[in-house]
Every structure is written in C-alpha cells, then in structure tokens.
Amino acid sequence: MVKVIKIKPAREVKKRCVCENCGATLEYVPADIKSYSGTDISGGPDGCEWINCPNCKKRVTLRSW
Ligand SMILES: [Zn+2]
C-alpha cells in the first residue's frame, strides 16, 4: 500500500516551463499535467499534454503528438 509521507513534492519531480501567453515561469509536478489522447482525422494517434497557467488561466501545451 502506498503511503504519503510528505505532501510537498520533492524537488526532483518539479519541472519548469514558461507560459507562452503571459511569460510567467511556472513550476509544476506530474500530477498537474492534464492530457488528452484521441485520433486525428486520418486515424493516427493525436493528443497533447498541458498545464493550466494560474496567472493567465490559459492552457500551456507541454507536448503534442
Ligand atoms: Zn500564463
């Protein structure tokens, strides 16, 4: 059984990115990442991962495929 021993994320899992909309530097952990996956018109895999910028509330895309 998994036990939470510390609620604050360890430094190693934190990542940073810059919001392309407002320029804020954001720090996030894997749990903050939202993702979508589906198929595109031609039937190929389509999806993306993003986080929501708390400053401007816009979506910051981390990865898309
Ligand atoms: Zn922003």
Side-chain angles (χ1 to χ4, degrees):
M1 194 180 157
V2 180
K3 240 203 252 180
V4 178
I5 52 163
K6 205 166 60 162
I7 202 75
K8 219 175 158 204
R11 202 173 166 76
E12 307 83 69
V13 301
K14 287 184 186 168
K15 289 199 175 128
R16 283 189 183 180
C17 73
V18 174
C19 174
E20 288 166 2
N21 188 61
C22 69
T25 302
L26 309 174
E27 193 174 67
Y28 62 95
V29 295
D32 297 323
I33 301 172
K34 308 197 189 312
S35 66
Y36 160 83
S37 59
T39 46
D40 64 16
I41 316 153
S42 59
D46 180 41
C48 60
E49 283 181 350
W50 74 92
I51 54 168
N52 289 317
C53 175
N55 191 42
C56 66
K57 319 286 184 209
K58 293 261 163 111
R59 199 186 260 207
V60 185
T61 304
L62 305 169
R63 216 154 68 86
S64 63
W65 57 88

